[in-house]
Amino acid sequence: MSGYLTYVWRPVVGGRHAFPIAAMKSPPDATVDAYCGAQTEARQLHDRSEVDWIRERSCMECWRILAARS
């Protein structure tokens, strides 16, 4: 198992999704894909507050995909 972060959970519009860590370094206007296939602009991965974490639900499809990897 890698000692490095390989994915990150982010509360974007429509839910809290898991994204590959490389998505965090994408240009703001780029479209990034969550593990479940949900898409958002990369800027949405950065422009969120702690309140967004509370309001958004975790995507269970992202959860299942990541759980199956371990």
Side-chain angles (χ1 to χ4, degrees):
M1 177 168 203
S2 171
Y4 298 101
L5 187 63
T6 58
Y7 61 89
V8 62
W9 285 90
R10 300 303 299 160
V12 297
V13 177
R16 191 179 316 120
H17 293 277
F19 293 86
I21 196 65
M24 297 296 290
K25 297 180 182 182
S26 297
D29 293 338
T31 299
V32 292
D33 297 322
Y35 282 92
C36 69
Q39 296 183 326
T40 191
E41 288 183 336
R43 75 172 40 90
Q44 297 295 321
L45 302 181
H46 302 282
D47 296 339
R48 295 294 173 201
S49 70
E50 289 184 29
V51 173
D52 294 324
W53 276 91
I54 295 166
R55 289 183 178 160
E56 298 292 347
R57 293 178 179 236
S58 293
C59 171
M60 295 313 295
E61 184 60 20
C62 284
W63 189 268
R64 282 188 280 278
I65 290 167
L66 291 173
R69 290 175 38 174
S70 59

